[in-house]
Amino acid sequence: MLKIRVAACSEQGARANNEDAIVAHENGPGWYAVLADGAGGHRNGAEAARRAVHRMQTSLGEATLPWRPELLTGAVLDAHDDVRRGVEGTGRDRMHTTVVALCVDAQRNFAMWTHVGDSRLYRIRAGRIDTITQDDSVVQMLIEAGLLTPEQAEDHPHKNHLVAALGIEDELHPHTTTPQPLQDGDVFLLASDGWWGTAGDTLIHDTLRDASSPDDWLTAMRAAIEERGLPDQDNFSAIALWVGEPALQTEVQTPADETGSAAEEAAVDSGPMPLEAEEEDETTRRMPL
């Protein structure tokens, strides 16, 4: 059975509070990881993210393996309904969140993922870094229409405007994959836009090359993000999942299609949540709510 190692990090950045939420946990021979980036103002974003992650944790943690695409999609839709109920039940006028979730079955050697919004899932395989989710954003739509280049999108005034998120009034269509084969050495990174927008693909790849563990990798990326000291640094959160040992090449390889998917297709207001280690072995580490 493939060895899985997981680490997670959630930081407040320059914002007044942390509206990201994360969880990573075992389920039998598998692991699931969920990251949500809330928005809504007046701490509503933190509540939206917390609700989404809690519902996803319940759905994925209680599921009987193997995970199935319809289960993953259903978990997102249940989380969407829970965020909507939070708006209706408390009179909050605005509350929504992104979500990205990864399920890895180490016994059956497959991974499956889903997402809504612009929180991303990266996969690094044999030295090649790919964004395997495609942002639900205005700038991504402009890129797909040929009206904007990826380079222009980095500084676009509407780069943070989403076209889909949990909690919106419109019908939601999560982007869920079928089971995808794992390879020994695969590395996955779930990241909020505050993380990937500041770090960038090159930093994500290069820090992995020198890391001896998922914790080392996240620590190196976090240090680089903090060193940049952006005055408007958003909350930044990530979950790293390693399958076996990464097999890296010396040069950064970028996807042929830099705009999208090659495969597709803080849970509390008080701040980031630390990983709790039951034992020294990283395979037992978990991120609780």
Side-chain angles (χ1 to χ4, degrees):
M1 187 168 68
L2 293 171
K3 179 181 180 180
I4 305 297
R5 290 185 287 169
V6 180
C9 174
S10 183
E11 300 294 336
Q12 186 169 321
R15 299 300 173 87
N17 60 335
N18 193 346
E19 295 187 328
D20 292 352
I22 52 179
V23 67
H25 210 292
E26 298 153 294
N27 180 342
W31 272 87
Y32 63 87
V34 183
L35 182 150
D37 179 359
H42 303 294
R43 306 175 78 89
N44 290 359
E47 173 67 10
R50 185 198 68 80
R51 283 177 172 268
V53 167
H54 184 273
R55 177 59 61 182
M56 293 287 292
Q57 180 178 18
T58 299
S59 298
L60 300 178
E62 295 178 354
T64 300
L65 270 59
W67 284 300
R68 304 175 307 281
E70 57 269 25
L71 170 69
L72 206 48
T73 296
V76 175
L77 294 177
D78 287 345
H80 172 55
D81 289 342
D82 205 13
V83 174
R84 290 285 303 276
R85 283 193 295 271
V87 175
E88 296 164 358
T90 62
R92 300 174 189 266
D93 57 353
R94 193 163 64 94
M95 184 169 74
H96 62 263
T97 183
T98 70
V99 71
V100 58
L102 170 69
C103 295
V104 173
D105 190 321
Q107 188 172 59
R108 299 171 181 87
N109 294 351
F110 75 80
M112 197 164 50
W113 54 87
T114 188
H115 89 285
V116 176
D118 64 355
S119 293
R120 292 182 177 179
L121 178 63
Y122 290 86
R123 182 181 62 199
I124 300 176
R125 173 176 284 177
R128 177 187 175 92
I129 181 169
D130 287 295
T131 309
I132 54 176
T133 54
Q134 190 166 347
D135 298 343
D136 289 317
S137 66
V138 170
V139 295
Q140 183 61 42
M141 293 177 64
L142 293 174
I143 291 171
E144 292 172 5
L147 301 175
L148 205 64
T149 67
E151 293 74 22
Q152 292 170 330
E154 293 179 3
D155 298 316
H156 196 278
H158 300 307
K159 66 179 182 179
N160 295 322
H161 290 197
L162 301 180
V163 296
L166 277 65
I168 62 173
E169 294 183 2
D170 297 334
E171 187 176 357
L172 199 69
H173 300 282
H175 308 285
T176 304
T177 65
T178 57
Q180 304 292 315
L182 284 175
Q183 290 185 15
D184 191 3
D186 280 350
V187 168
F188 294 93
L189 180 73
L190 295 81
S192 65
D193 67 330
W195 190 288
W196 61 257
T198 306
D201 289 11
T202 300
L203 177 67
I204 291 171
H205 182 281
D206 288 353
T207 49
L208 175 62
R209 186 166 49 202
D210 297 326
S212 61
S213 69
D215 281 310
D216 286 347
W217 187 32
L218 292 187
T219 297
M221 284 188 282
R222 182 183 64 206
I225 292 171
E226 291 174 341
E227 185 177 352
R228 291 181 180 174
L230 298 180
D232 59 346
Q233 176 63 55
D234 193 4
N235 310 141
F236 58 102
S237 303
I239 304 172
L241 186 147
W242 286 18
V243 181
E245 294 297 332
L248 294 178
Q249 299 175 2
T250 57
E251 297 297 329
V252 176
Q253 298 184 31
T254 55
D257 177 7
E258 296 181 351
T259 64
S261 167
E264 172 122 302
E265 6 191 23
V268 292
D269 289 348
S270 58
M273 303 178 299
L275 279 168
E276 291 183 351
E278 291 185 346
E279 301 176 8
E280 291 298 321
D281 185 354
E282 281 186 294
T283 60
T284 66
R285 292 191 173 185
R286 61 187 60 188
M287 174 66 68
L289 285 171

